[in-house]
């Protein structure tokens, strides 16, 4: 990685940890642990993001800006960080602006509302520790353009969750493209990254009403 980009990502994390003293952006307060679980973990999905078509990137449920900001800095993609908690997005936007991180903006609303405003606009989406795979497929499908890719970060993924998503993927216009498991640098923390490509328009009108994906899952 370019040293200037690495320095910028570390500066972003340090600023977020400072903000975290009075605003709950992350439960991780130890700097060394944060570097692994926020920087290293965020960038572990870079191969899938870089393999996606050219175009803007959206990070769903971004929270403190991870994996969105590290991926945006390294990939150079225009990025939109989405989280419905307005205080979080305001804090993230402030840090982004103060550090002069170009091409990164925030959206403090629901994913379904964003899909109504900017449907089919994004080339790649990420989601880390946000929801079950089937829910992520439903939320991401209307945001992605044809050929766009959803990159899902999972710590634990049981077979029932995976099989349910695979049964629904065609209905949602998506198809599993890759599935990769690995350990982070501590040799203990397991991660699994699944990438789904949008191959066609979904078989139902999306997005459904706000909250339906979680409250009334398909």
């Amino acid at each position: 990685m370019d040293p200037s980009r690495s320095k910028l990502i570390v500066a972003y994390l340090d600023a977020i940890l400072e903000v975290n003293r009075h605003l709950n952006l992350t439960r991780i307060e130890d700097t060394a642990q944060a570097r692994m679980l926020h920087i290293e973990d965020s960038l572990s999905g870079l191969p899938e993001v870089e393999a996606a078509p050219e175009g803007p990137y959206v990070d769903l449920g971004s929270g403190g800006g991870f994996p969105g900001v590290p991926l945006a800095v390294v990939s150079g993609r225009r990025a939109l960080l989405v989280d419905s908690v307005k205080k979080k997005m305001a804090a993230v936007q402030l840090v982004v602006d103060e550090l002069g991180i170009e091409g990164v903006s925030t959206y403090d609303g629901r994913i379904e509302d964003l899909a109504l405003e900017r449907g089919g606009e994004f080339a790649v989406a990420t989601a880390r520790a946000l929801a079950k795979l089937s829910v992520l497929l439903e939320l991401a499908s209307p945001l992605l353009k044809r050929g766009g890719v959803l990159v899902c970060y999972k710590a634990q993924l049981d077979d029932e969750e995976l099989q349910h998503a695979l049964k629904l993927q065609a209905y949602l216009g998506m198809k599993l493209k890759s599935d990769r498991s690995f350990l982070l640098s501590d040799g203990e923390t397991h991660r699994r990254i699944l990438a789904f490509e949008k191959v066609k328009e979904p078989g139902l009108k999306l997005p459904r009403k706000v909250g339906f994906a979680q409250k009334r899952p398909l």
Side-chain angles (χ1 to χ4, degrees), residues 70-108:
L71 286 173
V73 170
V74 176
S75 70
R77 289 181 188 260
R78 277 194 301 116
L80 182 65
L81 314 179
V82 181
D83 200 290
S84 61
V85 182
K86 296 184 184 299
K87 287 184 178 180
K88 287 185 178 182
M89 288 294 90
V92 167
Q93 187 67 64
L94 183 62
V95 172
V96 165
D97 292 342
E98 287 179 344
L99 292 175
I101 302 176
E102 297 180 357
V104 176
S105 56
T106 56
Y107 180 89
D108 59 358

PDB file of all heavy atoms in Angstrom, residues 70-108:
ATOM      1  N   PRO A  70     -11.366   2.908   4.912  1.00  0.00           N
ATOM      2  CA  PRO A  70     -10.142   2.269   4.429  1.00  0.00           C
ATOM      3  C   PRO A  70     -10.254   1.766   2.984  1.00  0.00           C
ATOM      4  O   PRO A  70      -9.333   1.954   2.190  1.00  0.00           O
ATOM      5  CB  PRO A  70      -9.941   1.106   5.416  1.00  0.00           C
ATOM      6  CG  PRO A  70     -10.588   1.577   6.672  1.00  0.00           C
ATOM      7  CD  PRO A  70     -11.794   2.335   6.213  1.00  0.00           C
ATOM      8  N   LEU A  71     -11.382   1.165   2.636  1.00  0.00           N
ATOM      9  CA  LEU A  71     -11.548   0.665   1.274  1.00  0.00           C
ATOM     10  C   LEU A  71     -11.594   1.808   0.263  1.00  0.00           C
ATOM     11  O   LEU A  71     -11.039   1.695  -0.838  1.00  0.00           O
ATOM     12  CB  LEU A  71     -12.823  -0.176   1.169  1.00  0.00           C
ATOM     13  CG  LEU A  71     -12.764  -1.560   1.801  1.00  0.00           C
ATOM     14  CD1 LEU A  71     -14.141  -2.218   1.775  1.00  0.00           C
ATOM     15  CD2 LEU A  71     -11.749  -2.452   1.083  1.00  0.00           C
ATOM     16  N   ALA A  72     -12.240   2.897   0.618  1.00  0.00           N
ATOM     17  CA  ALA A  72     -12.313   4.046  -0.284  1.00  0.00           C
ATOM     18  C   ALA A  72     -10.930   4.646  -0.514  1.00  0.00           C
ATOM     19  O   ALA A  72     -10.557   4.976  -1.643  1.00  0.00           O
ATOM     20  CB  ALA A  72     -13.266   5.091   0.273  1.00  0.00           C
ATOM     21  N   VAL A  73     -10.165   4.792   0.565  1.00  0.00           N
ATOM     22  CA  VAL A  73      -8.829   5.388   0.458  1.00  0.00           C
ATOM     23  C   VAL A  73      -7.925   4.547  -0.431  1.00  0.00           C
ATOM     24  O   VAL A  73      -7.218   5.067  -1.300  1.00  0.00           O
ATOM     25  CB  VAL A  73      -8.206   5.563   1.863  1.00  0.00           C
ATOM     26  CG1 VAL A  73      -6.721   5.941   1.755  1.00  0.00           C
ATOM     27  CG2 VAL A  73      -8.959   6.630   2.653  1.00  0.00           C
ATOM     28  N   VAL A  74      -7.933   3.233  -0.235  1.00  0.00           N
ATOM     29  CA  VAL A  74      -7.026   2.369  -0.993  1.00  0.00           C
ATOM     30  C   VAL A  74      -7.511   2.138  -2.426  1.00  0.00           C
ATOM     31  O   VAL A  74      -6.711   2.146  -3.359  1.00  0.00           O
ATOM     32  CB  VAL A  74      -6.844   1.012  -0.270  1.00  0.00           C
ATOM     33  CG1 VAL A  74      -5.972   0.074  -1.096  1.00  0.00           C
ATOM     34  CG2 VAL A  74      -6.214   1.224   1.096  1.00  0.00           C
ATOM     35  N   SER A  75      -8.813   1.953  -2.602  1.00  0.00           N
ATOM     36  CA  SER A  75      -9.330   1.656  -3.944  1.00  0.00           C
ATOM     37  C   SER A  75      -9.453   2.905  -4.815  1.00  0.00           C
ATOM     38  O   SER A  75      -9.451   2.810  -6.044  1.00  0.00           O
ATOM     39  CB  SER A  75     -10.698   0.986  -3.849  1.00  0.00           C
ATOM     40  OG  SER A  75     -11.696   1.897  -3.406  1.00  0.00           O
ATOM     41  N   GLY A  76      -9.586   4.081  -4.170  1.00  0.00           N
ATOM     42  CA  GLY A  76      -9.755   5.302  -4.925  1.00  0.00           C
ATOM     43  C   GLY A  76     -11.160   5.512  -5.457  1.00  0.00           C
ATOM     44  O   GLY A  76     -11.416   6.447  -6.219  1.00  0.00           O
ATOM     45  N   ARG A  77     -12.106   4.659  -5.058  1.00  0.00           N
ATOM     46  CA  ARG A  77     -13.488   4.799  -5.519  1.00  0.00           C
ATOM     47  C   ARG A  77     -14.205   5.915  -4.764  1.00  0.00           C
ATOM     48  O   ARG A  77     -13.940   6.131  -3.582  1.00  0.00           O
ATOM     49  CB  ARG A  77     -14.270   3.502  -5.293  1.00  0.00           C
ATOM     50  CG  ARG A  77     -13.879   2.345  -6.194  1.00  0.00           C
ATOM     51  CD  ARG A  77     -14.752   1.141  -5.888  1.00  0.00           C
ATOM     52  NE  ARG A  77     -14.310  -0.060  -6.593  1.00  0.00           N
ATOM     53  CZ  ARG A  77     -14.868  -0.519  -7.712  1.00  0.00           C
ATOM     54  NH1 ARG A  77     -15.885   0.120  -8.241  1.00  0.00           N
ATOM     55  NH2 ARG A  77     -14.416  -1.617  -8.282  1.00  0.00           N
ATOM     56  N   ARG A  78     -15.129   6.581  -5.437  1.00  0.00           N
ATOM     57  CA  ARG A  78     -16.054   7.472  -4.742  1.00  0.00           C
ATOM     58  C   ARG A  78     -16.905   6.610  -3.828  1.00  0.00           C
ATOM     59  O   ARG A  78     -17.414   5.568  -4.246  1.00  0.00           O
ATOM     60  CB  ARG A  78     -16.953   8.207  -5.733  1.00  0.00           C
ATOM     61  CG  ARG A  78     -16.334   9.437  -6.351  1.00  0.00           C
ATOM     62  CD  ARG A  78     -17.372  10.284  -7.051  1.00  0.00           C
ATOM     63  NE  ARG A  78     -18.059   9.574  -8.108  1.00  0.00           N
ATOM     64  CZ  ARG A  78     -19.364   9.299  -8.107  1.00  0.00           C
ATOM     65  NH1 ARG A  78     -20.137   9.666  -7.107  1.00  0.00           N
ATOM     66  NH2 ARG A  78     -19.913   8.656  -9.115  1.00  0.00           N
ATOM     67  N   ALA A  79     -17.065   7.014  -2.589  1.00  0.00           N
ATOM     68  CA  ALA A  79     -17.729   6.160  -1.604  1.00  0.00           C
ATOM     69  C   ALA A  79     -18.811   6.914  -0.852  1.00  0.00           C
ATOM     70  O   ALA A  79     -18.650   8.086  -0.507  1.00  0.00           O
ATOM     71  CB  ALA A  79     -16.707   5.598  -0.617  1.00  0.00           C
ATOM     72  N   LEU A  80     -19.898   6.209  -0.588  1.00  0.00           N
ATOM     73  CA  LEU A  80     -20.981   6.725   0.241  1.00  0.00           C
ATOM     74  C   LEU A  80     -21.130   5.812   1.449  1.00  0.00           C
ATOM     75  O   LEU A  80     -21.355   4.608   1.298  1.00  0.00           O
ATOM     76  CB  LEU A  80     -22.289   6.774  -0.548  1.00  0.00           C
ATOM     77  CG  LEU A  80     -23.500   7.340   0.200  1.00  0.00           C
ATOM     78  CD1 LEU A  80     -23.282   8.814   0.533  1.00  0.00           C
ATOM     79  CD2 LEU A  80     -24.776   7.161  -0.619  1.00  0.00           C
ATOM     80  N   LEU A  81     -20.995   6.377   2.639  1.00  0.00           N
ATOM     81  CA  LEU A  81     -21.126   5.622   3.885  1.00  0.00           C
ATOM     82  C   LEU A  81     -22.546   5.803   4.400  1.00  0.00           C
ATOM     83  O   LEU A  81     -22.990   6.933   4.598  1.00  0.00           O
ATOM     84  CB  LEU A  81     -20.122   6.120   4.919  1.00  0.00           C
ATOM     85  CG  LEU A  81     -18.685   6.338   4.441  1.00  0.00           C
ATOM     86  CD1 LEU A  81     -17.822   6.856   5.589  1.00  0.00           C
ATOM     87  CD2 LEU A  81     -18.101   5.068   3.851  1.00  0.00           C
ATOM     88  N   VAL A  82     -23.238   4.695   4.637  1.00  0.00           N
ATOM     89  CA  VAL A  82     -24.658   4.747   4.993  1.00  0.00           C
ATOM     90  C   VAL A  82     -24.886   4.198   6.397  1.00  0.00           C
ATOM     91  O   VAL A  82     -24.472   3.077   6.707  1.00  0.00           O
ATOM     92  CB  VAL A  82     -25.500   3.937   3.988  1.00  0.00           C
ATOM     93  CG1 VAL A  82     -26.980   4.014   4.350  1.00  0.00           C
ATOM     94  CG2 VAL A  82     -25.271   4.435   2.570  1.00  0.00           C
ATOM     95  N   ASP A  83     -25.546   4.989   7.226  1.00  0.00           N
ATOM     96  CA  ASP A  83     -25.954   4.528   8.551  1.00  0.00           C
ATOM     97  C   ASP A  83     -27.117   5.408   8.993  1.00  0.00           C
ATOM     98  O   ASP A  83     -27.089   6.620   8.782  1.00  0.00           O
ATOM     99  CB  ASP A  83     -24.798   4.615   9.553  1.00  0.00           C
ATOM    100  CG  ASP A  83     -25.026   3.726  10.767  1.00  0.00           C
ATOM    101  OD1 ASP A  83     -25.932   4.044  11.582  1.00  0.00           O
ATOM    102  OD2 ASP A  83     -24.318   2.716  10.909  1.00  0.00           O
ATOM    103  N   SER A  84     -28.109   4.803   9.615  1.00  0.00           N
ATOM    104  CA  SER A  84     -29.298   5.564  10.011  1.00  0.00           C
ATOM    105  C   SER A  84     -29.103   6.363  11.295  1.00  0.00           C
ATOM    106  O   SER A  84     -29.938   7.191  11.645  1.00  0.00           O
ATOM    107  CB  SER A  84     -30.497   4.621  10.179  1.00  0.00           C
ATOM    108  OG  SER A  84     -30.251   3.664  11.197  1.00  0.00           O
ATOM    109  N   VAL A  85     -27.976   6.136  12.006  1.00  0.00           N
ATOM    110  CA  VAL A  85     -27.695   6.881  13.237  1.00  0.00           C
ATOM    111  C   VAL A  85     -27.026   8.201  12.862  1.00  0.00           C
ATOM    112  O   VAL A  85     -25.842   8.237  12.508  1.00  0.00           O
ATOM    113  CB  VAL A  85     -26.816   6.065  14.199  1.00  0.00           C
ATOM    114  CG1 VAL A  85     -26.581   6.854  15.499  1.00  0.00           C
ATOM    115  CG2 VAL A  85     -27.467   4.722  14.516  1.00  0.00           C
ATOM    116  N   LYS A  86     -27.780   9.263  12.935  1.00  0.00           N
ATOM    117  CA  LYS A  86     -27.322  10.562  12.439  1.00  0.00           C
ATOM    118  C   LYS A  86     -26.079  11.058  13.163  1.00  0.00           C
ATOM    119  O   LYS A  86     -25.179  11.656  12.544  1.00  0.00           O
ATOM    120  CB  LYS A  86     -28.457  11.585  12.542  1.00  0.00           C
ATOM    121  CG  LYS A  86     -29.652  11.254  11.664  1.00  0.00           C
ATOM    122  CD  LYS A  86     -30.710  12.341  11.734  1.00  0.00           C
ATOM    123  CE  LYS A  86     -31.941  11.955  10.931  1.00  0.00           C
ATOM    124  NZ  LYS A  86     -31.649  11.752   9.488  1.00  0.00           N
ATOM    125  N   LYS A  87     -25.979  10.839  14.473  1.00  0.00           N
ATOM    126  CA  LYS A  87     -24.811  11.305  15.223  1.00  0.00           C
ATOM    127  C   LYS A  87     -23.534  10.631  14.739  1.00  0.00           C
ATOM    128  O   LYS A  87     -22.478  11.267  14.667  1.00  0.00           O
ATOM    129  CB  LYS A  87     -25.011  11.050  16.725  1.00  0.00           C
ATOM    130  CG  LYS A  87     -26.007  11.982  17.396  1.00  0.00           C
ATOM    131  CD  LYS A  87     -26.075  11.723  18.889  1.00  0.00           C
ATOM    132  CE  LYS A  87     -27.047  12.683  19.581  1.00  0.00           C
ATOM    133  NZ  LYS A  87     -27.119  12.419  21.043  1.00  0.00           N
ATOM    134  N   LYS A  88     -23.643   9.357  14.410  1.00  0.00           N
ATOM    135  CA  LYS A  88     -22.464   8.634  13.905  1.00  0.00           C
ATOM    136  C   LYS A  88     -22.009   9.207  12.577  1.00  0.00           C
ATOM    137  O   LYS A  88     -20.825   9.472  12.360  1.00  0.00           O
ATOM    138  CB  LYS A  88     -22.775   7.138  13.762  1.00  0.00           C
ATOM    139  CG  LYS A  88     -22.872   6.375  15.061  1.00  0.00           C
ATOM    140  CD  LYS A  88     -23.047   4.892  14.803  1.00  0.00           C
ATOM    141  CE  LYS A  88     -23.087   4.112  16.120  1.00  0.00           C
ATOM    142  NZ  LYS A  88     -23.206   2.644  15.889  1.00  0.00           N
ATOM    143  N   MET A  89     -22.955   9.395  11.667  1.00  0.00           N
ATOM    144  CA  MET A  89     -22.587   9.890  10.344  1.00  0.00           C
ATOM    145  C   MET A  89     -22.078  11.316  10.400  1.00  0.00           C
ATOM    146  O   MET A  89     -21.171  11.691   9.650  1.00  0.00           O
ATOM    147  CB  MET A  89     -23.771   9.778   9.393  1.00  0.00           C
ATOM    148  CG  MET A  89     -24.113   8.354   8.980  1.00  0.00           C
ATOM    149  SD  MET A  89     -22.838   7.537   7.969  1.00  0.00           S
ATOM    150  CE  MET A  89     -21.808   6.753   9.224  1.00  0.00           C
ATOM    151  N   ALA A  90     -22.610  12.134  11.294  1.00  0.00           N
ATOM    152  CA  ALA A  90     -22.127  13.504  11.450  1.00  0.00           C
ATOM    153  C   ALA A  90     -20.676  13.505  11.933  1.00  0.00           C
ATOM    154  O   ALA A  90     -19.839  14.275  11.442  1.00  0.00           O
ATOM    155  CB  ALA A  90     -23.012  14.272  12.428  1.00  0.00           C
ATOM    156  N   ALA A  91     -20.381  12.617  12.889  1.00  0.00           N
ATOM    157  CA  ALA A  91     -19.018  12.520  13.418  1.00  0.00           C
ATOM    158  C   ALA A  91     -18.052  12.011  12.357  1.00  0.00           C
ATOM    159  O   ALA A  91     -16.940  12.531  12.202  1.00  0.00           O
ATOM    160  CB  ALA A  91     -18.992  11.600  14.642  1.00  0.00           C
ATOM    161  N   VAL A  92     -18.469  10.994  11.617  1.00  0.00           N
ATOM    162  CA  VAL A  92     -17.624  10.445  10.556  1.00  0.00           C
ATOM    163  C   VAL A  92     -17.364  11.497   9.479  1.00  0.00           C
ATOM    164  O   VAL A  92     -16.229  11.675   9.027  1.00  0.00           O
ATOM    165  CB  VAL A  92     -18.288   9.192   9.937  1.00  0.00           C
ATOM    166  CG1 VAL A  92     -17.596   8.790   8.640  1.00  0.00           C
ATOM    167  CG2 VAL A  92     -18.239   8.030  10.928  1.00  0.00           C
ATOM    168  N   GLN A  93     -18.406  12.214   9.072  1.00  0.00           N
ATOM    169  CA  GLN A  93     -18.239  13.244   8.042  1.00  0.00           C
ATOM    170  C   GLN A  93     -17.278  14.335   8.509  1.00  0.00           C
ATOM    171  O   GLN A  93     -16.456  14.830   7.729  1.00  0.00           O
ATOM    172  CB  GLN A  93     -19.595  13.865   7.689  1.00  0.00           C
ATOM    173  CG  GLN A  93     -19.546  14.819   6.501  1.00  0.00           C
ATOM    174  CD  GLN A  93     -19.242  14.114   5.203  1.00  0.00           C
ATOM    175  OE1 GLN A  93     -20.034  13.279   4.750  1.00  0.00           O
ATOM    176  NE2 GLN A  93     -18.112  14.438   4.579  1.00  0.00           N
ATOM    177  N   LEU A  94     -17.367  14.689   9.783  1.00  0.00           N
ATOM    178  CA  LEU A  94     -16.478  15.711  10.333  1.00  0.00           C
ATOM    179  C   LEU A  94     -15.022  15.263  10.254  1.00  0.00           C
ATOM    180  O   LEU A  94     -14.142  16.034   9.841  1.00  0.00           O
ATOM    181  CB  LEU A  94     -16.862  16.018  11.785  1.00  0.00           C
ATOM    182  CG  LEU A  94     -16.067  17.127  12.477  1.00  0.00           C
ATOM    183  CD1 LEU A  94     -16.266  18.463  11.761  1.00  0.00           C
ATOM    184  CD2 LEU A  94     -16.486  17.239  13.944  1.00  0.00           C
ATOM    185  N   VAL A  95     -14.758  14.020  10.637  1.00  0.00           N
ATOM    186  CA  VAL A  95     -13.384  13.492  10.587  1.00  0.00           C
ATOM    187  C   VAL A  95     -12.899  13.410   9.145  1.00  0.00           C
ATOM    188  O   VAL A  95     -11.754  13.782   8.839  1.00  0.00           O
ATOM    189  CB  VAL A  95     -13.304  12.108  11.273  1.00  0.00           C
ATOM    190  CG1 VAL A  95     -11.926  11.477  11.056  1.00  0.00           C
ATOM    191  CG2 VAL A  95     -13.595  12.224  12.760  1.00  0.00           C
ATOM    192  N   VAL A  96     -13.745  12.930   8.248  1.00  0.00           N
ATOM    193  CA  VAL A  96     -13.393  12.839   6.826  1.00  0.00           C
ATOM    194  C   VAL A  96     -13.017  14.219   6.284  1.00  0.00           C
ATOM    195  O   VAL A  96     -12.010  14.380   5.582  1.00  0.00           O
ATOM    196  CB  VAL A  96     -14.565  12.236   6.017  1.00  0.00           C
ATOM    197  CG1 VAL A  96     -14.379  12.474   4.518  1.00  0.00           C
ATOM    198  CG2 VAL A  96     -14.685  10.744   6.299  1.00  0.00           C
ATOM    199  N   ASP A  97     -13.816  15.217   6.628  1.00  0.00           N
ATOM    200  CA  ASP A  97     -13.561  16.583   6.155  1.00  0.00           C
ATOM    201  C   ASP A  97     -12.274  17.147   6.747  1.00  0.00           C
ATOM    202  O   ASP A  97     -11.472  17.793   6.048  1.00  0.00           O
ATOM    203  CB  ASP A  97     -14.733  17.498   6.493  1.00  0.00           C
ATOM    204  CG  ASP A  97     -15.994  17.152   5.702  1.00  0.00           C
ATOM    205  OD1 ASP A  97     -15.881  16.449   4.671  1.00  0.00           O
ATOM    206  OD2 ASP A  97     -17.084  17.591   6.122  1.00  0.00           O
ATOM    207  N   GLU A  98     -12.074  16.917   8.041  1.00  0.00           N
ATOM    208  CA  GLU A  98     -10.890  17.464   8.713  1.00  0.00           C
ATOM    209  C   GLU A  98      -9.599  16.869   8.160  1.00  0.00           C
ATOM    210  O   GLU A  98      -8.572  17.552   8.071  1.00  0.00           O
ATOM    211  CB  GLU A  98     -10.974  17.214  10.221  1.00  0.00           C
ATOM    212  CG  GLU A  98     -11.997  18.099  10.934  1.00  0.00           C
ATOM    213  CD  GLU A  98     -12.077  17.817  12.421  1.00  0.00           C
ATOM    214  OE1 GLU A  98     -11.582  16.759  12.860  1.00  0.00           O
ATOM    215  OE2 GLU A  98     -12.638  18.672  13.150  1.00  0.00           O
ATOM    216  N   LEU A  99      -9.660  15.591   7.763  1.00  0.00           N
ATOM    217  CA  LEU A  99      -8.464  14.921   7.232  1.00  0.00           C
ATOM    218  C   LEU A  99      -8.322  15.109   5.722  1.00  0.00           C
ATOM    219  O   LEU A  99      -7.330  14.688   5.131  1.00  0.00           O
ATOM    220  CB  LEU A  99      -8.505  13.426   7.569  1.00  0.00           C
ATOM    221  CG  LEU A  99      -8.362  13.056   9.042  1.00  0.00           C
ATOM    222  CD1 LEU A  99      -8.546  11.556   9.243  1.00  0.00           C
ATOM    223  CD2 LEU A  99      -6.996  13.488   9.575  1.00  0.00           C
ATOM    224  N   GLY A 100      -9.317  15.722   5.108  1.00  0.00           N
ATOM    225  CA  GLY A 100      -9.257  15.953   3.671  1.00  0.00           C
ATOM    226  C   GLY A 100      -9.341  14.685   2.843  1.00  0.00           C
ATOM    227  O   GLY A 100      -8.704  14.584   1.783  1.00  0.00           O
ATOM    228  N   ILE A 101     -10.113  13.716   3.307  1.00  0.00           N
ATOM    229  CA  ILE A 101     -10.282  12.460   2.554  1.00  0.00           C
ATOM    230  C   ILE A 101     -11.254  12.716   1.413  1.00  0.00           C
ATOM    231  O   ILE A 101     -12.443  12.939   1.630  1.00  0.00           O
ATOM    232  CB  ILE A 101     -10.787  11.329   3.465  1.00  0.00           C
ATOM    233  CG1 ILE A 101      -9.800  11.108   4.623  1.00  0.00           C
ATOM    234  CG2 ILE A 101     -10.955  10.041   2.665  1.00  0.00           C
ATOM    235  CD1 ILE A 101     -10.256  10.074   5.638  1.00  0.00           C
ATOM    236  N   GLU A 102     -10.751  12.692   0.203  1.00  0.00           N
ATOM    237  CA  GLU A 102     -11.552  13.055  -0.960  1.00  0.00           C
ATOM    238  C   GLU A 102     -12.457  11.905  -1.417  1.00  0.00           C
ATOM    239  O   GLU A 102     -12.107  10.737  -1.294  1.00  0.00           O
ATOM    240  CB  GLU A 102     -10.639  13.479  -2.114  1.00  0.00           C
ATOM    241  CG  GLU A 102      -9.822  14.728  -1.810  1.00  0.00           C
ATOM    242  CD  GLU A 102      -8.926  15.123  -2.968  1.00  0.00           C
ATOM    243  OE1 GLU A 102      -8.892  14.393  -3.975  1.00  0.00           O
ATOM    244  OE2 GLU A 102      -8.263  16.169  -2.852  1.00  0.00           O
ATOM    245  N   GLY A 103     -13.602  12.276  -1.936  1.00  0.00           N
ATOM    246  CA  GLY A 103     -14.482  11.296  -2.563  1.00  0.00           C
ATOM    247  C   GLY A 103     -15.326  10.481  -1.603  1.00  0.00           C
ATOM    248  O   GLY A 103     -16.018   9.549  -2.024  1.00  0.00           O
ATOM    249  N   VAL A 104     -15.289  10.805  -0.309  1.00  0.00           N
ATOM    250  CA  VAL A 104     -16.063  10.064   0.688  1.00  0.00           C
ATOM    251  C   VAL A 104     -17.150  10.967   1.259  1.00  0.00           C
ATOM    252  O   VAL A 104     -16.866  12.059   1.748  1.00  0.00           O
ATOM    253  CB  VAL A 104     -15.168   9.530   1.824  1.00  0.00           C
ATOM    254  CG1 VAL A 104     -16.008   8.849   2.902  1.00  0.00           C
ATOM    255  CG2 VAL A 104     -14.136   8.561   1.275  1.00  0.00           C
ATOM    256  N   SER A 105     -18.396  10.523   1.209  1.00  0.00           N
ATOM    257  CA  SER A 105     -19.514  11.272   1.775  1.00  0.00           C
ATOM    258  C   SER A 105     -20.384  10.332   2.609  1.00  0.00           C
ATOM    259  O   SER A 105     -20.196   9.106   2.577  1.00  0.00           O
ATOM    260  CB  SER A 105     -20.346  11.937   0.671  1.00  0.00           C
ATOM    261  OG  SER A 105     -20.802  10.975  -0.265  1.00  0.00           O
ATOM    262  N   THR A 106     -21.339  10.892   3.342  1.00  0.00           N
ATOM    263  CA  THR A 106     -22.164  10.093   4.242  1.00  0.00           C
ATOM    264  C   THR A 106     -23.648  10.297   3.943  1.00  0.00           C
ATOM    265  O   THR A 106     -24.047  11.313   3.378  1.00  0.00           O
ATOM    266  CB  THR A 106     -21.895  10.458   5.716  1.00  0.00           C
ATOM    267  OG1 THR A 106     -22.117  11.860   5.908  1.00  0.00           O
ATOM    268  CG2 THR A 106     -20.465  10.112   6.108  1.00  0.00           C
ATOM    269  N   TYR A 107     -24.440   9.301   4.346  1.00  0.00           N
ATOM    270  CA  TYR A 107     -25.894   9.337   4.190  1.00  0.00           C
ATOM    271  C   TYR A 107     -26.499   8.855   5.496  1.00  0.00           C
ATOM    272  O   TYR A 107     -26.333   7.688   5.874  1.00  0.00           O
ATOM    273  CB  TYR A 107     -26.317   8.439   3.026  1.00  0.00           C
ATOM    274  CG  TYR A 107     -27.812   8.399   2.763  1.00  0.00           C
ATOM    275  CD1 TYR A 107     -28.404   9.313   1.901  1.00  0.00           C
ATOM    276  CD2 TYR A 107     -28.630   7.434   3.365  1.00  0.00           C
ATOM    277  CE1 TYR A 107     -29.774   9.275   1.635  1.00  0.00           C
ATOM    278  CE2 TYR A 107     -29.995   7.392   3.114  1.00  0.00           C
ATOM    279  CZ  TYR A 107     -30.557   8.309   2.246  1.00  0.00           C
ATOM    280  OH  TYR A 107     -31.911   8.263   1.991  1.00  0.00           O
ATOM    281  N   ASP A 108     -27.194   9.747   6.218  1.00  0.00           N
ATOM    282  CA  ASP A 108     -27.725   9.382   7.533  1.00  0.00           C
ATOM    283  C   ASP A 108     -29.203   9.012   7.438  1.00  0.00           C
ATOM    284  O   ASP A 108     -30.064   9.662   8.028  1.00  0.00           O
ATOM    285  CB  ASP A 108     -27.490  10.507   8.544  1.00  0.00           C
ATOM    286  CG  ASP A 108     -28.135  11.821   8.138  1.00  0.00           C
ATOM    287  OD1 ASP A 108     -28.735  11.876   7.040  1.00  0.00           O
ATOM    288  OD2 ASP A 108     -28.060  12.786   8.912  1.00  0.00           O
TER     289      ASP A 108
END
